[in-house]
């Protein structure tokens, strides 16, 4: 222990005598360790931590599958009758529960609030083995029609809205005009669905009467728990048999199947590959930082060879000197790790701010003990590596030569040819890794540029949007249009500066996925469901197309008289081309099974064709769409609409006035998710922007470290070659020739780095394939620009030491030698 304390004191004094070196090493390590730690904290929370339920490895998500119009099989929600049959017949599943998103308006308060709500079957909490921190969860029968309405609060909502009042159980809340009694509060770690971070409360799932016995309404999500000892394959085989039996009883279900997936995989499936890719990118930053630090440590050990030789001559063993170097490295790595932890905490907050709700379990992210242990292991590994490198190279030196007065400039150790070659190899590696990161960031930059330049098919300038959900309990059957939607349109249209205004059930690039199969009267029935006409369903008001500048290319627009009693539809150009290539669509009808008053096929005339709009994503082609008059909202069971307001002034100026116009119609009706259409378009590529931000940050850090590395190597090389340069200049070499000598060496290192980095980038950028659009992973333009930029930066970094070398006074330098 006494020797260790002595080593610590000596190491602290030695590092204190070199404050510049110490600061640079600590900062370099902080950048590398901070980047890896920040990304690992996200990976740890999203991918490694178990879901916050009892025995989460036994939980599964159960989907209903069907033939897809695009080929293959799609998966989606489940109807109430099918869910009932699954419960009764699935013996391998210990329990099954259903849920459905159902946002609600909190009313009866000073300021109405839109809440994120999930309707769940009464046994959902038992299936998840989740217990409340206050009160209870739902009892059997509380999800039946006529039962007293109960509600369970999330911990966050309880604390935010009710100041963590322990007497909250028994209080009443008015949700969508109906009184609910608070029966419990869930603990802070409980979140369901796990991928959603903003759920305020859970209410019992009570199916509307029209959906209780209808197998065509596939609106439920189902989660289950495997029975004891039951494997996933056995459960899947049994559910396949259940689906077959349902198809035998109901011909409409013959092509419907079942798919069982682990709940954990479903939660993180969309982000796992990208997060692992980002962790690898952060690892490359750490490697570059490590290479820089190793180069600095090697240069420092070169200057200390005479000191180490004296210690060896006085009897210090190689192990003793290695331990001293290890203690110094541990101090540096500890300081770098502490600074990296601080940097990681800010970087994690930044990632969450940019990611928004796109990362599952985002609210659970923190720098916990697992992340801290990860950082400690990395720091110790760096310390050991940096200590061993100088020690091993120092052993290659000759004690006699190192003890000479001029030994600091001569042979072995870190300063000879072997050390120089090693430092050069580190710089080559840094540039190769930097090229990989820069190419990845460049590909994402081009992708985002292509997407933002994509023609959306609609006007986005000076367009304001806001969501409004009108509860059916407050405006029953058919009243919501006459009593709320139509008066709200009149109020907003009368505002100064408003050009056009309309309602839509699905705002482009913000909502999609409500679709249906239809028939074309007069044509033979398709051979299978996959061949049946299929389209996205939209409800819009008159004025919607004008508000978004969507042209009516054939026929007419919707008129105020179009509605519930005399329905008509408009279709988009994609649907017209696909299903009516040789006919005038405005002379045709579409047939909707089950839509007629007697339950048969309703034939609805097509009165117009409108231009295509990018509905789902900027990267996806327009889909076939059918637009119904919004008067059919009550029939189709769609309560949530978005108001679209086109203005002659900057859209945000009218936000307050539009809100007040809505409250003037109904003071308990909140407007939420207020955005301009330009924000909607930008937000639709938020995942790519997030990964661009992260990968771009890593690439810039890597570039800075690589530039510092080549500058350091060139500076050191100039210092080592001072005598050679002096002799050259004394013999007539020009300053320009000397500069060219040093710059060529820097260019050679950078060229080798590019030569190594291009094949590596070609392999690794294929991991970005799913995020790219309009550009391939081997895009030659991106590779050429990045490689040229790296070479230019390398030449600039090498020019400064070269200029210093060219200004050496030969007589002064030779006299010092």
């Amino acid at each position: 222990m006494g020797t260790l304390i002595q080593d610590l004191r000596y190491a602290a004094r030695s590092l204190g005598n070199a404050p510049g070196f110490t600061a640079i090493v600590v900062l370099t390590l902080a950048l590398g360790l901070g980047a890896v730690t920040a990304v690992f904290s996200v990976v740890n929370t999203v991918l490694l931590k178990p879901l916050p339920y009892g025995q989460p490895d036994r939980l599964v998500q159960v989907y209903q599958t069907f033939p897809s119009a695009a080929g293959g099989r799609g998966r989606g929600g489940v109807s109430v009758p099918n869910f009932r049959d699954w419960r009764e017949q699935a013996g391998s599943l210990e329990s099954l529960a259903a849920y459905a998103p159902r946002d609600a308006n909190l009313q009866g308060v000073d300021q109405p609030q839109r809440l994120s709500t999930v309707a769940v079957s009464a046994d959902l909490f038992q299936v998840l083995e989740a217990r409340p921190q206050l009160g209870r969860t739902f009892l059997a029968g509380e999800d039946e029609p006529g039962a007293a309405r109960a509600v369970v609060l999330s911990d966050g909502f309880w604390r935010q809205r009710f100041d963590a009042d322990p007497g909250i159980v028994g209080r009443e809340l008015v949700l969508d005009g109906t009184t609910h009694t608070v029966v419990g509060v869930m603990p802070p770690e409980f979140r369901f669905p796990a991928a959603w971070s903003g759920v305020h409360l859970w209410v019992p799932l009570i199916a509307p009467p029209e959906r209780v016995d209808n197998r065509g309404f596939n609106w439920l999500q189902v989660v289950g728990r495997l029975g004891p000892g039951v494997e996933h394959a056995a459960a899947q085989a049994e559910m396949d048999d259940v689906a077959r039996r349902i198809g035998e009883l109901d011909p409409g279900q013959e092509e419907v199947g079942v798919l069982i997936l682990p709940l954990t995989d479903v939660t993180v499936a969309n982000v796992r590959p990208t997060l692992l890719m980002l962790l690898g990118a952060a690892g490359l930053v750490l490697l570059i930082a490590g290479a820089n630090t190793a180069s600095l440590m090697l240069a420092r050990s070169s200057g200390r060879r005479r000191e180490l030789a004296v210690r060896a001559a006085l009897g210090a063993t190689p192990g003793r000197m290695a331990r001293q170097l290890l203690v110094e490295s541990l101090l540096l790595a500890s300081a770098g790790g502490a600074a990296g932890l601080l940097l990681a905490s800010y970087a994690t907050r930044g990632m969450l701010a940019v990611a928004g709700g796109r990362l599952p379990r985002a609210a659970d992210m923190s720098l916990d003990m697992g992340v801290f242990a990860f950082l400690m292991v990395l720091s110790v590994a760096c310390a050991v590596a940096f200590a061993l490198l100088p020690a091993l190279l120092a052993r290659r030196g000759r004690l006699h030569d190192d003890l000479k007065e001029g030994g600091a400039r001569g042979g072995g150790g870190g300063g000879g040819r072997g050390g120089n070659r090693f430092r050069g190899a580190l710089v080559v590696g840094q540039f190769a890794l930097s090229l990989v990161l820069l190419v990845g960031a460049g590909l994402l930059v081009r992708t985002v540029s292509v997407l933002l330049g994509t023609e959306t098919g609609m006007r986005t300038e000076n367009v304001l949007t806001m969501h409004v959900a009108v509860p059916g309990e407050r405006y029953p059957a058919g009243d919501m249009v006459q009593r709320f939607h139509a008066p709200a349109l009149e109020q907003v249209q009368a505002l100064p500066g408003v050009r056009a205004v309309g309602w839509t059930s699905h705002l482009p690039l913000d909502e999609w996925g409500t679709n249906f199969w239809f028939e074309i009267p007069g044509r033979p029935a398709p051979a299978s469901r996959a061949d049946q006409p299929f389209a996205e369903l939209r409800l819009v008001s008159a004025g919607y197309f004008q508000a978004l500048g969507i042209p009516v290319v054939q026929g007419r627009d919707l008129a105020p008289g179009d509605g519930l009693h005399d329905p008509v539809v408009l279709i988009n150009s994609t649907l017209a081309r696909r299903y009516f290539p040789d006919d005038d669509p405005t002379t045709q009808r579409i047939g909707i099974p089950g839509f007629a008053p007697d339950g048969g096929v309703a034939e609805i005339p097509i009165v117009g064709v409108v231009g295509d709009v990018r509905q789902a994503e900027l990267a996806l082609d327009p889909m076939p769409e059918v637009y119904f008059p919004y008067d059919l909202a009550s029939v189709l069971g769609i309560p949530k609409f978005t108001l679209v307001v086109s203005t002659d002034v900057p859209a945000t100026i009218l936000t307050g006035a539009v809100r007040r116009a809505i409250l003037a119609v109904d003071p308990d009706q909140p407007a939420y998710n207020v955005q301009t259409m330009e924000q909607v378009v930008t937000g639709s590529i938020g995942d790519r922007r997030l990964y661009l931000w992260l990968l771009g940050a890593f690439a810039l850090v890597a570039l800075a470290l690589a530039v510092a590395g080549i500058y350091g190597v060139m500076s050191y090389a100039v210092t080592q070659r001072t005598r050679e340069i002096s002799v050259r200049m004394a013999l007539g070499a020009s300053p320009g020739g000397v500069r060219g000598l040093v710059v060529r060496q820097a260019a050679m290192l950078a060229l080798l780095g590019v030569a190594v980095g291009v094949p590596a980038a070609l392999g690794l950028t294929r991991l970005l394939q799913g995020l790219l659009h309009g550009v391939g992973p081997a895009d030659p333009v991106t590779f050429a620009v990045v490689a040229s930029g790296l070479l230019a930066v390398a030449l600039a970094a090498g020019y400064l030491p070269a200029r210093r070398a060219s200004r050496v006074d030969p007589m002064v330098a030779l006299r010092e030698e």
Side-chain angles (χ1 to χ4, degrees):
M1 183 58 67
T3 307
L4 177 60
I5 293 175
Q6 182 184 30
D7 287 341
L8 285 171
R9 288 175 176 170
Y10 181 82
R13 186 167 62 248
S14 176
L15 293 176
N17 290 333
F21 165 82
T22 303
I24 292 174
V25 169
V26 169
L27 177 60
T28 301
L29 286 176
L31 289 172
L33 292 171
V36 173
T37 304
V39 178
F40 179 76
S41 68
V42 178
V43 171
N44 181 52
T45 300
V46 177
L47 303 183
L48 302 182
K49 282 185 179 179
L51 296 176
Y53 316 124
Q55 303 181 75
D57 57 311
R58 308 297 297 168
L59 292 172
V60 294
Q61 189 87 21
V62 190
Y63 293 99
Q64 188 167 280
T65 64
F66 49 85
S68 172
R73 294 188 69 82
R75 67 186 188 193
V78 183
S79 65
V80 173
N82 282 4
F83 173 63
R84 283 200 305 261
D85 290 341
W86 290 1
R87 264 185 167 175
E88 293 171 0
Q89 301 180 43
S92 58
L93 293 171
E94 182 178 273
S95 52
L96 279 171
Y99 65 95
R102 184 198 164 210
D103 292 355
N105 295 332
L106 177 63
Q107 298 167 331
V109 291
D110 294 339
Q111 184 69 34
Q113 180 182 356
R114 187 66 177 172
L115 301 181
S116 176
T117 306
V118 183
V120 302
S121 56
D123 57 349
L124 176 102
F125 297 99
Q126 286 72 40
V127 173
L128 299 177
E129 296 183 359
R131 296 176 176 81
Q133 61 174 317
L134 287 179
R136 62 172 176 85
T137 55
F138 300 130
L139 301 176
E142 284 188 326
D143 55 357
E144 297 293 334
R149 300 295 180 93
V151 61
V152 175
L153 308 184
S154 69
D155 177 82
F157 180 63
W158 172 55
R159 294 181 184 278
Q160 172 196 359
R161 186 81 192 194
F162 302 103
D163 244 1
D165 180 8
I168 188 65
V169 176
R171 290 263 299 270
E172 292 183 341
L173 302 180
V174 179
L175 302 174
D176 288 343
T178 303
T179 301
H180 292 65
T181 302
V182 177
V183 298
V185 179
M186 298 307 292
E189 65 275 7
F190 179 82
R191 306 185 196 282
F192 185 84
W196 301 2
S197 59
V199 174
H200 295 101
L201 45 85
W202 296 267
V203 297
L205 176 63
I206 301 175
E210 67 272 11
R211 301 188 182 186
V212 171
D213 297 313
N214 192 325
R215 295 187 188 271
F217 277 102
N218 301 314
W219 59 293
L220 298 178
Q221 302 297 315
V222 176
V223 63
R225 181 175 290 276
L226 296 175
V230 176
E231 295 298 327
H232 179 274
Q236 180 67 63
E238 184 188 50
M239 291 302 294
D240 289 339
D241 289 338
V242 172
R244 178 181 50 77
R245 289 195 292 270
I246 294 174
E248 292 173 353
L249 295 175
D250 187 339
Q253 298 291 305
E254 289 178 350
E255 298 184 82
V256 174
V258 180
L259 176 64
I260 299 178
L261 295 174
L263 184 60
T264 300
D265 291 350
V266 172
T267 303
V268 303
N270 293 332
V271 297
R272 176 185 280 120
T274 307
L275 284 182
L276 293 178
M277 181 270 294
L278 289 176
L279 184 60
L284 295 184
V285 174
L286 179 59
L287 286 176
I288 296 171
N292 241 355
T293 306
S295 182
L296 290 169
M297 296 288 285
L298 190 58
R300 186 166 186 263
S301 71
S302 174
R304 298 176 64 190
R305 280 178 314 160
R306 190 166 185 271
E307 169 204 335
L308 296 176
V310 171
R311 292 165 68 88
L314 294 175
T317 63
R320 181 70 177 80
M321 288 191 291
R323 188 175 70 180
Q324 175 62 56
L325 294 174
L326 177 61
V327 170
E328 288 187 16
S329 296
L330 281 172
L331 283 179
L332 286 171
S334 298
L341 186 63
L342 180 63
L343 181 63
S345 67
Y346 286 105
T348 303
R349 294 176 201 169
M351 280 191 286
L352 295 182
V354 175
R358 297 180 182 274
L359 286 176
R361 309 182 68 186
D364 298 328
M365 291 179 195
S366 63
L367 299 176
D368 57 15
M369 289 304 298
V371 176
F372 183 72
F374 173 79
L375 178 60
M376 290 299 296
V377 169
L378 279 182
S379 299
V380 171
C382 289
V384 172
F386 301 151
L388 289 178
L389 180 64
L392 290 175
L393 289 174
R395 294 183 63 183
R396 296 175 56 188
R398 290 178 294 175
L399 181 62
H400 177 71
D401 290 338
D402 289 342
L403 283 172
K404 291 180 179 179
E405 185 67 27
R409 295 187 186 276
R417 290 185 178 180
N420 289 334
R421 283 196 299 267
F422 186 78
R423 277 188 293 273
L426 290 178
V427 170
V428 169
Q430 286 177 307
F431 266 79
L433 296 176
S434 299
L435 185 139
V436 172
L437 292 175
L438 287 167
V439 165
L443 291 173
L444 286 177
V445 167
R446 294 202 64 193
T447 292
V448 170
S449 176
V450 169
L451 288 174
L452 291 178
T454 300
E455 178 56 50
T456 62
M458 58 188 169
R459 179 193 302 121
T460 59
E461 299 83 10
N462 295 335
V463 176
L464 182 68
T465 72
M466 57 181 66
H467 295 250
V468 180
V470 181
E473 294 88 343
R474 190 174 181 88
Y475 298 97
D479 284 351
M480 66 174 65
V481 168
Q482 286 73 28
R483 292 175 51 197
F484 178 80
H485 286 122
L489 283 180
E490 294 177 4
Q491 291 273 355
V492 176
Q493 183 68 69
L495 294 174
V498 171
R499 179 188 305 163
V501 60
W503 290 104
T504 178
S505 60
H506 296 76
L507 186 66
L509 299 176
D510 186 52
E511 296 174 299
W512 67 287
T514 301
N515 38 53
F516 70 113
W517 279 280
F518 62 92
E519 300 176 2
I520 300 177
R523 296 187 185 179
S528 66
R529 176 60 65 88
D531 299 323
Q532 188 170 348
F534 186 79
E536 290 287 313
L537 182 151
R538 306 285 177 258
L539 298 178
V540 300
S541 71
Y544 166 73
F545 298 113
Q546 183 183 357
L548 278 182
I550 301 172
V552 178
V553 297
Q554 194 174 353
R556 68 172 177 86
D557 197 348
L558 288 175
D562 299 325
L564 182 62
H565 302 294
D566 188 21
V568 297
V569 298
L570 280 78
I571 63 175
N572 70 342
S573 298
T574 294
L575 190 146
R577 287 192 300 269
R578 181 172 300 181
Y579 297 117
F580 304 103
D582 302 317
D583 299 314
D584 179 357
T586 60
T587 64
Q588 304 295 315
R589 294 172 174 263
I590 64 170
I592 305 178
F595 200 70
D598 60 358
V601 178
E603 296 185 3
I604 304 178
I606 301 170
V607 298
V609 180
V610 299
D612 287 331
V613 171
R614 303 271 175 169
Q615 186 75 39
E617 296 181 31
L618 289 173
L620 296 179
D621 292 332
M623 301 173 291
E625 294 177 336
V626 177
Y627 296 91
F628 290 83
Y630 77 143
D631 300 58
L632 300 177
S634 58
V635 178
L636 297 173
I638 298 179
K640 185 171 68 173
F641 276 79
T642 302
L643 187 68
V644 182
V645 185
S646 175
T647 66
D648 294 319
V649 296
T652 52
I653 293 177
L654 293 179
T655 300
V658 175
R659 283 183 183 272
R660 289 189 294 271
I662 292 174
L663 292 175
V665 178
D666 186 342
D668 288 329
Q669 187 60 56
Y672 61 99
N673 198 16
V674 179
Q675 300 181 87
T676 66
M677 202 62 213
E678 290 172 328
Q679 291 172 327
V680 172
V681 172
T682 303
S684 70
I685 58 170
D687 54 347
R688 290 177 171 87
R689 291 173 59 242
L690 168 64
Y691 302 134
L692 169 60
W693 184 85
L694 293 174
L695 196 57
F698 295 155
L700 289 177
V701 171
L703 178 61
L705 291 174
V707 170
I710 199 167
Y711 174 80
V713 166
M714 291 298 98
S715 294
Y716 185 79
V718 167
T719 302
Q720 293 296 102
R721 299 174 67 182
T722 299
R723 187 165 186 255
E724 173 198 339
I725 292 172
S726 301
V727 170
R728 286 176 178 269
M729 296 187 70
L731 294 176
S734 66
V738 171
R739 286 195 295 269
L741 178 70
V742 178
V743 170
R744 279 195 299 273
Q745 186 178 356
M748 183 58 65
L749 293 175
L751 283 171
L752 288 173
V754 169
V756 174
V758 166
L762 285 172
L764 293 178
T765 53
R766 298 191 184 279
L767 298 175
L768 292 172
Q769 183 75 54
L771 295 173
L772 302 181
H773 175 73
V775 59
D779 178 55
V781 174
T782 303
F783 274 79
V785 170
V786 170
S788 301
L790 273 177
L791 289 173
V793 167
L795 293 177
Y799 178 75
L800 295 178
R803 187 177 63 174
R804 189 176 74 240
S806 67
R807 294 178 177 179
V808 170
D809 186 336
M811 297 306 298
V812 173
L814 291 173
R815 193 177 301 120
E816 289 179 355
E817 289 292 331

